[in-house]
Amino acid sequence: MAFNSKNPFLSNKRFSSNAVSRAEEVHEAKIIDYNQEMTLSGTINKTAILFLILCGSAMVTWWMAFNGMNIMIPAIGGAIVGFVLVLISAFKPNLSPYLAPGYALFEGLFIGGISAIFEAMYPGIVINAVGATLVTFLVCLGLYKFRIVKVTEQFKSVVIAATLAIATYYLISWIVSMFINYQPVHHGNSMMSIGISIFVIVIAALNLFLDFDQIEKGVEQRMPKFMEWYGAMGLMVTLVWLYIEFLRLLSKFASRD
């Protein structure tokens, strides 16, 4: 599974050896009727579809929030269902054509809700977070495409280890705060908290390189067509994580004014 600060997700972003072997087994056994193979253009198209679904779904809770409706149930429910769908997809990548759109739909409810909450507190923050996420994505894509940043095995190990460390820290902080009056160091707007947010954003951005690399390798290995949805879903998970972290960082700066 994979992790983000609010709704942790981790390993679905990568074509793990387990996922790849399962996909190859399904493809070779011809259990499902996917005669075509994974392509880069197909993965890009699927990513665009998921992005549109997520944005459309986010507009629902956004509209509800600014019309005085209760958004907590759809937002929290969307986060939980989205998390479950990611977990299922991690073990059953052949179901990604069905699970990925569902993830985008339900995660959009969560994104719309949390965005509306931040926007109400700090007007203008959402457009800045969206812009920062888009710029980060494009910069990382350019660095990867022109091989300025190369995804080596050592690079993967460092990024995965850092991501797991962040996930573990968030999880432990959340559990501890449930039982005692404890405010994790990444909360608040202290310089330490801001520094942690910047570090997390850097690691989230580095995960984009892993996503690009795994999608490219999936195309080279001629994976079955359904892996386009799997790769697109993983990329969306990373972008959602990155966007939420930008929201958190910008809110810390805004609260210091």
Side-chain angles (χ1 to χ4, degrees), residues 13-16 20 38 144 151 156 209-219 221 223:
K13 302 194 305 302
R14 286 171 281 287
F15 290 16
S16 64
V20 171
M38 180 181 184
Y144 180 80
V151 181
K156 292 180 183 178
F209 292 108
L210 300 190
D211 293 330
F212 299 148
D213 180 69
Q214 297 297 352
I215 290 172
E216 184 176 59
K217 289 210 170 30
V219 173
Q221 295 170 5
M223 299 290 287

Side-chain angles (χ1 to χ4, degrees), residues 51 94 111 155 252:
F51 179 74
N94 58 296
I111 291 299
F155 180 92
K252 292 175 184 180

Side-chain angles (χ1 to χ4, degrees), residues 21-22 35 81 83 85 89 113 139 145 148 151 161 189 209-210 223:
S21 62
R22 285 175 179 270
N35 296 320
V81 175
F83 176 63
L85 294 179
S89 181
V139 169
K145 180 178 180 180
I148 297 175
V151 181
N189 60 2
F209 292 108
L210 300 190
M223 299 290 287

